[in-house]
Structure formats: C-alpha cells, structure tokens
C-alpha cells in the first residue's frame, strides 16, 4: 500500500516530465493580450468597427425596449446570453483596478488602450442602466429561459425582459458594486477623458447614495437572479467596497469616515476571509483600507483601519499557507474553493496577493502571519505560481486559457464559440435545435474563444474537456478581469514599483478625442464614407460638452437610398437625422443622396464620439 501511494504521488511529476514545454516559462505579454481579447467575444450590442473578434456579430439590439429604456450593450457574463449586473460590475471594477495599479506596464506592452476599451464597454452600459438616481437595471434576460436554449447571441429568441431595482425594490449590493465600478473606472479615464470620468463619478455618487439609503439585497428584488448570482454575503461588503473606491477616486473624507464609522458594524473589521469574488468583497475592502493606512491617510480612523489591516493579512497568510486557517489547494498547488468555476477564486486571490505584495514593498513592511514574518516577495511568488498553473504548469500540462499554449480546452461550454459563426453561416439556429446540432457535437468549437479562462480542474487536478461539463469548461468575465493586472505585473519584471504614490494612469497611445475619426472601414471600394469631427467644446457647471459634426458621403456613381445608420454610445441630442426604431434614417427633407453628395448631422454630449456605422442601404 505504501509503495502504491508513493507511485501515485509521483504521477504528477512523471506527467510533467512528459511535457517539458509546460515548464519552459511563459509569455505573460501574449497571455495579457489574449485575456483582454476575450472581452470582445463577450460583447453585447452593436459591435464597433475595430472589433477584433470577427466571428461575433451584433446582438441584443432591442434590450430594454419593452421597458422604455436603451439597454443595448454590456457583456454576457459567461457561456450564456444573459446580462447579469452584479458580476458584470465586479468585472469592470477589477479591470479598472488592474489598470490603476499596472496601467503603466500595460502601456509598455501596447495593451492599455485595449484594456481601457474593455472597461468603457461596461461603463457605457452602466450609464444607460442608471437612467435615474434611484433606478438601476440589474439584469436583461433570465437564466431559466436562456439555459433552456442553446443559441448564438445573434439568434436569441429567449425572453429579454429587463429587471430593475428602485426605492421600493432595493438592491444595495448591486447598486454598491456598480458604484464601485463607476468610481474605479473614473480613475482610469481621469487624464485621458476627464469629461467622461466626471460623468462616471456623478453616477457613482448617486448609486452609493441609493445603495446606502434604500437598503436591501438585490436578489430579493430581482428574484430571477437567485438561482445564478445569489448574494450570499448580503450587501454590507458592497457598501464598504463602494465607499473605499469612492474615497480612492475623490479623496473625499466622507467616504473614508464611512469606512471608519461602519467597519465594525458592517463586518469589515470582523470577517477574516479566505475567498474574494463577485459576491464576497471583504478581502478586497480590507486590502484597499490597508493601502490607505500605509499611505498615511487614516487620520482619526487609524485604530479601526488597523483592524481592517489585520484581516487583510489574514487573507494573504491563508493564501500562502502560513496562516491560522489556510486555503485548500490541489496536489498540483492550485487554490481550490469549489467544483463549479473554481478559477474565479484563483485569479481574484492572486490579484490581491500581487497588489498587496507591492503595497508592502512600497511601505518597507513585511507580512505578519501566524507562522512568522513573511517577505512581500513570497506573495508575488504565490500569485506567479497560480498564473503559471493556469497557463500550463500543472499535472495535466493543460493551459486553462483558451488559445494559449499547445494543450488547451477545445470544447468550451459557450454558446457563441460552439456554434458556427453567424458571419460564416447566418442560417437561424433554433432554441432546442442548437442543443441537438451543436451542443451535443463531440468536436472542437468552430470559433476559438481566445483568452477565456475556463472553470478549471477539480480538487485533484482532474479536468474533462467536454462541452456538457459546465462546472469545468465554462468561462466567465470575472475569471479574466483580475488576471489583467497580474499578467501586466509579471510581464514587466520586478523593478521600480511604488504602489503607494498617487495614482497616475498612463494615457493610451490612441487619443480619446481625435479631431477626425474615420468610422467606416477605410476601404476604397466602400460606397459610403463616414467622417466625424469635433467642432467645438465648452464647460457648463463643471462638465465639458463637445459638439461633433458627422458627414456621410455617397462615393458611388449611383443614387443612395434607404440609408439606415446605427448610432450607439450617444448620450445627448442629435440633429439632422430621423429616428426610426433602433436606427437613424434620412431627415424628412431628404430621401436620397446623389453620386458624390454628402449629408451632415450633429450631436452634443459630454463624452467621446458616438459610434456611427451603416446598417443598410440601397444603390439605384
């Protein structure tokens, strides 16, 4: 028996030796690029002209219409086609935190602009979803009808009802997390797009007030979410989390004192956690408050903040196995919390360990664990070990990032990637027909879901690459979001960090408000050209407004008729076009454009240019 056990314990080592490439070191820059690309595959709404995941097409174009609100856009959370507000907001918060800490490193690898676009795709949607101070739409579609069908987003026939929270049906956890996302994102855009950052902060303030004033769990109001994203931890952690991000974004002492005054009663100083994710935010709050303490910002809240700090260290010590209660790990060394999508906890914990390592190093401190003092570098080594496991350094030599390495999941539990692209075959895929034809198909997905982090192995490092094995093969946006920061950090090396200095997010190489923006494909064969131009700007009540002129030109030798334009990310009035359903058409005084003629329309809002694209047209 002893010999048998010894042979079993050697099996992972022997397996690794069979795959020497798995231990050859990793290209963190390539992994970063791919992990950001995954978010483009999860986009809902009108896809932009610079969309890089070309096998996807427009979807969910009538979301919110039945409720009289525009909810087009945002992200599908995982392998289904529902837009769940709570995990989407957490995703945006974590992407933003990644950029805040390691934006400079992302810029050096050329990925900052892509990361910021991924954040903005989410915040643009949240602006729409928050039409009034005390109203927030928290879900579009519902999991029950969606899971009954296996369809591409482009083919959806499922119920797209919109669900909201309000003073009579509150949701402090949902409003709090969305406030945190808006506040964190405002820091991301502070230098490159100050008008947009101000808009995000305005929403963040209102949402925090909503969350704090009208308290309640969101899944008691949006009951269809209970089966999928139930708020087990309640809403106190989200209120503290939102306050921490609003303080970081504004330096307003009100939010710092909120953390001090409510830390004990809301559990911020009492809960010692071994997990962090879309539901349980305490470890994230404790990490941020520990940062404020190290920055010397605690003031009269120092005694309370020290208790937050102790709980942050409790979490860190548990991750590296040197605490009084340690996180469970697989034989191969991966943090293991649960069978279903365990990887979400791995990436989130690894991110906290990464930033906390840099906070400690910046402050010249060490980690105080039950087993003794620990160097900050040990936290970073832990995070690196988890990332390396994900990328292939594990007993199966499997990369759990789709498209990275030579051995990655081929049958991902994901509707869009598992069904032939709408661009390749636009034949309608029916609700149940998708299950019969595509879900049950024992072959690799026709579309590569590049960068997706799947649910991952079980407690014994076992993994079955099967589409119906949703616990292990389904990806999620909140798996990827924390990974952006860690990969940027690991790719950049180990020198010159001081995470306690004031936040300065490097501007991306792409100017956010260009004077002229081509919005149609720059193809000489295209019969229609679209050009946008910023013509003027002004400041009113602290908000900068921009006037854009858009010129549509008929470049063909024929007369242009039946023109339909899609105009998305528009937050103000528009003149010179007529609204027709979800499209814009010629104004009443024009019904065609002769060869070489142009049409001009203008609009005003306090953000970057709207996305303008041609939906359809005729040439006579």
């Amino acid at each position: 028996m002893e010999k048998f056990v010894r042979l079993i314990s050697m099996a992972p080592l022997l397996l690794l030796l069979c795959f020497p490439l798995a231990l050859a070191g990793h290209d963190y820059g390539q992994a970063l690029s791919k992990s950001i690309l995954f978010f483009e595959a999860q986009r809902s709404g009108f896809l932009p002209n610079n969309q890089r995941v070309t096998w996807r097409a427009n979807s969910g174009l009538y979301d919110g219409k039945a409720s009289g609100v525009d909810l087009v856009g945002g992200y599908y959370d995982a392998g289904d086609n529902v837009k769940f507000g709570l995990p989407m907001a957490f995703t945006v918060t974590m992407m933003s935190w990644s950029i805040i800490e390691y934006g400079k490193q992302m810029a050096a690898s050329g990925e900052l602009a892509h990361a910021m676009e991924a954040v903005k795709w989410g915040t643009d949607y949240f602006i729409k979803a928050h039409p009034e101070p005390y109203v927030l739409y928290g879900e579009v579609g519902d999991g029950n009808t969606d899971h009954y069908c296996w369809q591409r987003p482009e083919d959806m026939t499922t119920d797209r009802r919109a669900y909201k929270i309000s003073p009579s049906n509150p949701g402090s956890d949902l409003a709090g997390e969305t406030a945190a996302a808006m506040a964190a994102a405002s820091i991301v855009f502070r230098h490159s797009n100050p008008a947009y950052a101000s808009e995000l902060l305005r929403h963040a303030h209102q949402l925090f007030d909503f969350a704090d004033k009208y308290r309640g769990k969101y899944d008691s109001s949006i009951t269809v979410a209970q089966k999928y994203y139930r708020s087990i931890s309640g809403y106190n952690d989200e209120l503290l989390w939102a306050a921490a991000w609003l303080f970081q974004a504004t330096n307003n002492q009100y939010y710092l004192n909120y953390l001090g005054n409510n830390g004990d009663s809301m559990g911020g100083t009492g809960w010692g956690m071994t997990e962090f994710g879309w539901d349980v935010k305490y470890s994230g709050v404790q990490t941020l408050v520990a940062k404020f303490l190290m920055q010397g910002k605690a003031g009269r809240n120092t005694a309370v903040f020290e208790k937050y700090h102790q709980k942050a260290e409790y979490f860190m010590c548990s991750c590296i196995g040197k605490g009084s209660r340690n996180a469970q790990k697989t034989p191969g060394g991966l943090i293991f919390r649960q069978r279903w999508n365990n990887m979400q906890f791995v990436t989130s914990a690894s991110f906290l360990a990464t930033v906390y390592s840099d906070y400690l190093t910046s402050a010249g401190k060490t980690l105080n664990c039950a087993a003794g003092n620990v160097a900050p570098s040990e936290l970073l080594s832990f995070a690196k070990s988890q990332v390396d496991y994900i990328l292939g350094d594990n007993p199966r030599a499997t990369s759990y990032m789709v498209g990275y390495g030579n051995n990655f999941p081929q049958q991902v539990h994901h509707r869009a990637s598992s069904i032939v692209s709408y661009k390749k075959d636009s034949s309608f895929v029916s609700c149940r027909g998708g299950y019969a034809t595509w879900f049950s198909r024992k072959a690799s997905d026709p579309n590569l879901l590049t960068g997706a982090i799947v649910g991952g192995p079980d407690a014994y490092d076992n993994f079955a690459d099967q589409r119906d094995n949703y616990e292990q093969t389904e990806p999620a946006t909140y798996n990827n979001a924390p990974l952006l920061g860690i990969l940027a950090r690991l790719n950049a090396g180990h020198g010159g960090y001081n995470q306690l200095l004031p936040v300065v997010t490097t501007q991306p190489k792409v100017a956010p408000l260009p004077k002229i923006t081509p919005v149609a494909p720059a193809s000489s064969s295209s019969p229609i050209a679209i050009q946008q131009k910023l013509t003027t700007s002004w400041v009113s009540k602290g908000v900068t407004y921009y006037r854009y002129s858009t010129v549509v030109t008929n470049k063909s030798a024929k007369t242009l008729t039946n023109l339909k334009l899609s105009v998305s990310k528009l937050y103000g009035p528009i003149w010179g076009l007529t609204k027709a359903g979800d499209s814009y058409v010629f104004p009443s005084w024009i019904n065609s454009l002769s060869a070489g003629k142009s049409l001009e329309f203008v609009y005003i809002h306090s953000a970057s240019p709207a996305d303008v694209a041609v939906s359809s047209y005729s040439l006579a």
Side-chain angles (χ1 to χ4, degrees):
M1 184 67 178
E2 183 181 347
K3 184 181 290 185
F4 177 75
V5 170
R6 192 176 295 137
L7 286 171
I8 291 295
S9 67
M10 290 178 65
L13 176 61
L14 293 172
L15 189 57
L16 283 174
L17 292 176
C18 294
F19 294 92
L21 289 177
L23 297 174
H26 292 288
D27 186 338
Y28 299 119
Q30 180 195 121
L32 173 63
S33 300
K34 291 178 184 294
S35 64
I36 296 173
L37 196 62
F38 167 64
F39 290 98
E40 295 194 16
Q42 296 302 107
R43 285 172 169 170
S44 181
F46 290 99
L47 301 185
N49 292 298
N50 63 354
Q51 171 83 7
R52 295 177 295 163
V53 179
T54 55
W55 48 266
R56 279 294 322 283
N58 297 337
S59 62
L61 302 184
Y62 300 99
D63 284 357
K65 188 172 183 179
S67 302
V69 63
D70 176 8
L71 295 177
V72 176
Y75 288 110
Y76 303 118
D77 72 303
D80 52 25
N81 298 326
V82 184
K83 295 191 298 202
F84 291 103
L86 184 60
M88 193 195 305
F90 177 71
T91 295
V92 170
T93 306
M94 294 308 297
M95 283 197 289
S96 297
W97 196 357
S98 291
I99 294 170
I100 289 164
E101 300 288 353
Y102 304 113
K104 183 178 179 181
Q105 290 73 31
M106 290 183 190
S109 62
E111 290 298 330
L112 178 59
H114 291 139
M116 291 175 71
E117 284 172 9
V119 170
K120 194 169 185 293
W121 193 266
T123 51
D124 283 348
Y125 172 77
F126 294 143
I127 289 170
K128 294 179 175 183
H130 184 223
E132 301 172 36
Y134 295 152
V135 171
L136 176 65
Y137 285 86
E139 184 172 330
V140 179
D142 80 90
N144 293 333
T145 58
D146 181 88
H147 285 205
Y148 180 75
C149 298
W150 194 263
Q151 291 176 292
R152 298 174 295 206
E154 296 84 357
D155 287 325
M156 279 187 290
T157 57
T158 50
D159 186 359
R160 299 301 289 174
R161 199 174 312 171
Y163 300 87
K164 68 182 179 181
I165 55 172
S166 64
S168 58
N169 293 285
S172 300
D173 27 25
L174 173 64
E177 180 59 72
T178 311
M182 298 295 234
S186 76
I187 303 172
V188 170
F189 294 103
R190 180 182 293 164
H191 299 287
S192 63
N193 194 342
Y196 189 66
S198 295
E199 185 178 11
L200 295 178
L201 262 185
R202 179 173 62 84
H203 284 279
H205 286 302
Q206 291 179 354
L207 284 163
F208 179 82
D209 180 54
F210 178 24
D212 195 35
K213 188 173 182 179
Y214 299 100
R215 295 191 183 183
K217 280 179 57 179
Y218 96 103
D219 57 12
S220 296
S221 299
I222 303 178
T223 56
V224 292
Q226 289 181 2
K227 187 177 175 182
Y228 304 95
Y229 289 101
R230 179 186 289 273
S231 181
I232 303 295
S233 70
Y235 54 76
N236 283 334
D237 51 338
E238 276 87 7
L239 288 172
L240 295 172
W241 177 240
W245 277 111
L246 274 159
F247 174 70
Q248 174 124 321
T250 65
N251 215 31
N252 186 326
Q253 290 297 304
Y254 172 81
Y255 298 107
L256 191 78
N257 293 334
Y258 188 97
L259 290 163
N261 296 337
N262 296 286
D264 293 339
S265 62
M266 289 186 172
T269 63
W271 283 105
M273 308 301 299
T274 58
E275 72 169 272
F276 172 56
W278 61 262
D279 180 26
V280 186
K281 313 290 163 49
Y282 283 113
S283 298
V285 175
Q286 291 153 357
T287 300
L288 282 174
V289 173
K291 177 186 182 182
F292 302 153
L293 186 66
M294 290 185 218
Q295 288 174 314
K297 295 181 176 180
R300 67 176 178 83
N301 299 298
T302 298
V304 178
F305 281 17
E306 281 288 359
K307 291 194 281 185
Y308 278 100
H309 178 218
Q310 290 166 10
K311 290 300 188 289
E313 302 227 319
Y314 180 95
F315 176 84
M316 304 302 162
C317 296
S318 79
C319 288
I320 59 175
K322 295 193 174 181
S324 56
R325 176 174 161 235
N326 296 321
Q328 180 185 345
K329 292 180 182 173
T330 69
L334 186 74
I335 281 186
F336 188 80
R337 179 101 197 148
Q338 66 182 34
R339 288 171 51 193
W340 190 333
N341 191 16
N342 179 65
M343 212 60 92
Q344 62 180 302
F345 302 109
V346 177
T347 59
S348 295
S350 299
F351 179 86
L352 291 188
T354 300
V355 296
Y356 199 73
S357 170
D358 284 335
Y359 296 162
L360 290 174
T361 301
S362 301
K365 296 179 179 293
T366 57
L367 177 63
N368 183 23
C369 292
N373 287 344
V374 177
S377 58
E378 198 164 329
L379 278 173
L380 189 62
S381 295
F382 156 76
K384 182 178 182 298
S385 74
Q386 300 300 292
V387 171
D388 288 348
Y389 184 109
I390 291 171
L391 297 180
D393 291 2
N394 55 64
R396 286 180 47 87
T398 294
S399 166
Y400 294 104
M401 176 185 283
V402 177
Y404 180 91
N406 298 318
N407 180 26
F408 53 82
Q410 303 291 323
Q411 292 189 33
V412 183
H413 183 91
H414 190 275
R415 286 158 175 75
S417 67
S418 68
I419 302 174
V420 65
S421 170
Y422 185 85
K423 300 277 190 74
K424 188 173 182 179
D425 183 354
S426 61
S427 301
F428 176 68
V429 176
S430 68
C431 169
R432 301 304 290 175
Y435 272 111
T437 306
W438 297 102
F439 178 79
S440 59
R441 182 172 165 266
K442 303 301 181 186
S444 299
D445 294 338
N447 309 305
L448 190 65
L449 195 63
T450 303
I453 303 296
V454 298
D458 66 12
Y460 304 98
D461 300 301
N462 298 316
F463 177 79
D465 183 13
Q466 297 165 351
R467 196 168 294 113
D468 60 356
N469 180 19
Y470 53 84
E471 291 185 343
Q472 295 188 324
T473 62
E474 186 172 20
T477 54
Y478 44 89
N479 296 7
N480 279 60
L483 199 59
L484 306 191
I486 316 170
L487 290 169
R489 174 67 171 88
L490 294 175
N491 186 52
H494 300 277
Y497 287 83
N498 189 340
Q499 302 305 113
L500 302 183
L501 293 174
V503 174
V504 179
T505 305
T506 306
Q507 293 195 35
K509 295 174 183 177
V510 180
L513 288 174
K515 288 291 181 181
I516 296 179
T517 307
V519 234
S523 167
S524 58
S525 61
S526 175
I528 304 170
I530 302 177
Q531 278 199 321
Q532 296 209 66
K533 183 165 60 176
L534 175 64
T535 57
T536 187
S537 65
W538 64 93
V539 177
S540 176
K541 296 182 180 180
V543 177
T544 303
Y545 292 90
Y546 305 94
R547 180 186 186 274
Y548 296 97
S549 164
T550 306
V551 177
V552 181
T553 303
N554 178 9
K555 293 171 26 180
S556 75
K558 298 181 179 180
T559 299
L560 175 67
T561 60
N562 302 319
L563 176 66
K564 285 189 176 182
L565 298 174
S566 72
V567 184
S568 58
K569 300 183 183 177
L570 174 66
Y571 311 115
I574 186 170
W575 296 274
L577 291 176
T578 298
K579 187 80 182 288
D582 290 320
S583 301
Y584 289 86
V585 298
F586 285 127
S588 57
W589 57 89
I590 297 176
N591 54 27
S592 64
L593 275 183
S594 302
K597 296 296 183 180
S598 298
L599 161 73
E600 181 183 21
F601 64 90
V602 297
Y603 59 91
I604 294 171
H605 64 189
S606 59
S608 303
D611 288 345
V612 182
V614 176
S615 297
S616 63
Y617 62 90
S618 301
L619 291 175

